[in-house]
Amino acid sequence: LLLLLPLLLLCLRGRGQSFGQTRFICTSVPLDGDVCAASAPGSGSAEELKSTVLQLRETVLQQKETIMNQKETIRELTAKLGRCESQSVLEALPGESKGGGAGRKGGFAKNTMGDLSRAPAAETLSQLGQTLQSLKTRLENLEQFSRMNSSSQTNNLKDILQNKIDDLEKQVLSRVNSLEEGKFSPKNESEERGKIESTLTSLHQRISDLEKGQKDNRPPDRFQLTFPLRTNYMYAKVKKSLPEMYAFSVCMWMKSNASPGMGTPFSYAVPGQANELVLIEWGNNPMEILINDKVAKLPFVINDGKWHHICVTWTTRDGVWEAYQDGTQTGSGENLAPYHPIKPQGVLVLGQEQDTLGGGFDATQAFVGELAHFNVWDRKLSPGEVYSLATCSTRALAGNVIAWAEANIDIYGGATKWTFEACRQLN
């Protein structure tokens, strides 16, 4: 059309005569033909032809404008798509907000990379340092054992483990320096985490094997779990589920100085309800007990790096609950999920909060610290029974639903299992 317009205008200029009532006819013209001659005389007035040409020109301009607008729209959509793709990559790192809990725990971003939470590099270094220090302590104990039972084999094993710990320290320092300088991409971050986790797990296993001879004579409940890092891959799983319960008592020893909040010492999820029974301290909130997603705040003050014994009792009748710290009742209440029995056939996890049955862990809600003597009863303990537990009395009872024993616990992701010392300090 753009090529045709000048030719039509040229024809109009060349033919100034007036025509009678005519019709506008589109005629094909050979490549070597005369365009002006192809316009039959008497086929229309010059004014009408001019008007038609102007209309065609206007149509062409409108179409051109439409095409330009469509191109602009395409560019805008392409830019938006690029931003969406970039945003989706960023969101894949911290993940989506935490659900469940009536929105109670939605303020944290889920760490779906299976890596450390977005803590400052200094905090990461401190946590990893604690892990290495615990390994060194255990290695020193092995050195004493080897001196008492001197042999070239034990000395060689000790030297090998010491060299591995030294190498791991170098990896950790390199990793933290890279974090501080912002050198890590998500892929490299995940790969480095995998290497360090693998090394930690290997060291724990080797040291545990060497310690096994020393553990054979100790009671089956004289052990503790250590969760040195805030991750979504370190946890322990209780092999046995809970039965249907119309009352319970949950007691344990804990030690932590993690901030903000020590995380989730334990969580029990059942099909259709991830928050069937949860103990959690997240962010700057006080510790809470959740039953069927209903919440009660607990008056515990235990985030001081010292061992504390805590107990929570509850009965479904009127939802009455009591909280004990170090053998003394510190709080009580009612209307906590009244007349709701604890459901059976669930998954009981130590050290992580479950979003789905047996999974959906969030590093920001992970427990950081040490935990021992986790026991569950299907009744309300008396104040005297709680006091016996908190003072490590020989009269203290083990849980009749879940009893603390090494054979009942599986550990994952580099969490460690070693001798419990709190009761020895009290006795």
Side-chain angles (χ1 to χ4, degrees):
L1 288 176
L2 292 174
L3 293 173
L4 181 61
L5 288 175
L7 293 174
L8 290 173
L9 290 174
L10 181 62
C11 291
L12 289 176
R13 292 193 187 97
R15 299 181 185 275
Q17 68 269 30
S18 176
F19 300 97
Q21 187 175 1
T22 61
R23 292 175 299 165
F24 181 74
I25 299 174
C26 293
T27 305
S28 59
V29 181
L31 290 176
D32 55 351
D34 184 0
V35 175
C36 296
S39 300
S43 62
S45 67
E47 291 299 324
E48 288 177 347
L49 286 173
K50 185 176 181 180
S51 175
T52 302
V53 169
L54 292 176
Q55 289 178 3
L56 288 171
R57 178 186 289 176
E58 184 67 24
T59 301
V60 169
L61 292 175
Q62 289 176 356
Q63 290 177 346
K64 183 178 179 181
E65 183 177 355
T66 300
I67 292 172
M68 295 301 294
N69 289 338
Q70 288 175 344
K71 286 184 177 179
E72 183 63 28
T73 301
I74 291 171
R75 278 196 294 269
E76 291 179 2
L77 289 174
T78 302
K80 288 180 180 179
L81 180 59
R83 289 195 296 270
C84 288
E85 290 174 344
S86 299
Q87 185 65 24
S88 66
V89 170
L90 292 174
E91 289 176 354
L93 305 180
E96 58 190 14
S97 295
K98 164 96 173 82
R104 303 193 60 78
K105 303 186 283 300
F108 296 100
K110 178 163 293 299
N111 186 336
T112 58
M113 291 293 291
D115 204 346
L116 303 178
S117 60
R118 302 293 171 181
E123 181 181 345
T124 303
L125 177 60
S126 175
Q127 292 173 348
L128 290 169
Q130 292 174 17
T131 303
L132 293 172
Q133 187 57 48
S134 69
L135 287 173
K136 286 185 175 181
T137 300
R138 294 165 68 186
L139 190 57
E140 289 171 0
N141 292 335
L142 288 172
E143 288 174 351
Q144 295 177 4
F145 179 77
S146 66
R147 282 195 294 269
M148 295 173 61
N149 302 272
S150 181
S151 71
S152 59
Q153 183 178 5
T154 55
N155 287 329
N156 287 338
L157 285 173
K158 183 264 293 182
D159 292 338
I160 292 172
L161 290 171
Q162 184 63 63
N163 290 334
K164 284 194 173 184
I165 288 178
D166 291 341
D167 291 341
L168 184 59
E169 280 187 309
K170 293 177 183 178
Q171 290 182 43
V172 169
L173 290 173
S174 174
R175 183 173 188 269
V176 172
N177 289 335
S178 298
L179 283 171
E180 290 175 339
E181 296 171 6
K183 292 181 179 178
F184 269 109
S185 68
K187 181 179 179 181
N188 291 338
E189 178 90 359
S190 180
E191 289 176 355
E192 285 296 314
R193 190 272 301 163
K195 292 177 183 177
I196 291 177
E197 179 188 346
S198 177
T199 306
L200 277 173
T201 302
S202 175
L203 279 171
H204 289 317
Q205 186 61 48
R206 293 292 300 276
I207 293 177
S208 296
D209 290 343
L210 290 172
E211 292 173 332
K212 187 175 181 181
Q214 302 172 17
K215 294 178 180 178
D216 286 342
N217 296 324
R218 80 181 186 196
D221 64 343
R222 188 63 63 84
F223 75 101
Q224 68 187 45
L225 299 179
T226 300
F227 304 93
L229 305 176
R230 198 180 293 279
T231 72
N232 64 356
Y233 56 83
M234 284 188 182
Y235 68 101
K237 184 177 178 181
V238 180
K239 295 180 181 179
K240 184 180 178 182
S241 181
L242 299 180
E244 185 174 68
M245 296 190 299
Y246 294 84
F248 69 74
S249 296
V250 178
C251 300
M252 72 201 78
W253 283 91
M254 286 195 302
K255 177 183 177 183
S256 178
N257 59 0
S259 178
M262 68 174 62
T264 309
F266 77 90
S267 64
Y268 177 67
V270 298
Q273 178 53 276
N275 295 327
E276 182 69 5
L277 179 57
V278 181
L279 184 67
I280 184 171
E281 183 183 72
W282 55 284
N284 295 314
N285 298 281
M287 185 165 282
E288 298 175 339
I289 184 79
L290 280 71
I291 299 176
N292 192 33
D293 235 358
K294 308 302 185 294
V295 182
K297 297 184 183 299
L298 304 177
F300 292 145
V301 182
I302 53 180
N303 193 359
D304 57 5
K306 299 178 181 179
W307 279 107
H308 293 281
H309 186 266
I310 67 167
C311 276
V312 179
T313 69
W314 171 87
T315 59
T316 186
R317 182 179 176 85
D318 297 325
V320 175
W321 60 271
E322 295 175 347
Y324 294 82
Q325 178 175 328
D326 298 327
T328 302
Q329 184 176 330
T330 56
S332 62
E334 58 183 13
N335 292 322
L336 175 57
Y339 305 102
H340 170 82
I342 301 299
K343 297 177 182 178
Q345 305 304 316
V347 177
L348 181 56
V349 168
L350 306 179
Q352 295 284 353
E353 200 279 334
Q354 302 173 68
D355 279 349
T356 58
L357 191 65
F361 303 146
D362 184 342
T364 60
Q365 295 168 339
F367 176 71
V368 180
E370 297 167 73
L371 186 150
H373 282 264
F374 176 85
N375 286 275
V376 181
W377 295 259
D378 59 2
R379 63 180 178 85
K380 176 182 175 181
L381 294 183
S382 68
E385 289 173 320
V386 173
Y387 184 79
S388 294
L389 290 164
T391 55
C392 300
S393 170
T394 55
R395 295 175 296 176
L397 301 174
N400 68 333
V401 174
I402 301 294
W404 187 246
E406 290 193 68
N408 296 338
I409 305 291
D410 288 328
I411 57 176
Y412 301 91
T416 59
K417 184 191 295 184
W418 48 306
T419 304
F420 176 61
E421 301 292 344
C423 282
R424 182 181 297 179
Q425 297 169 7
L426 291 174
N427 294 333

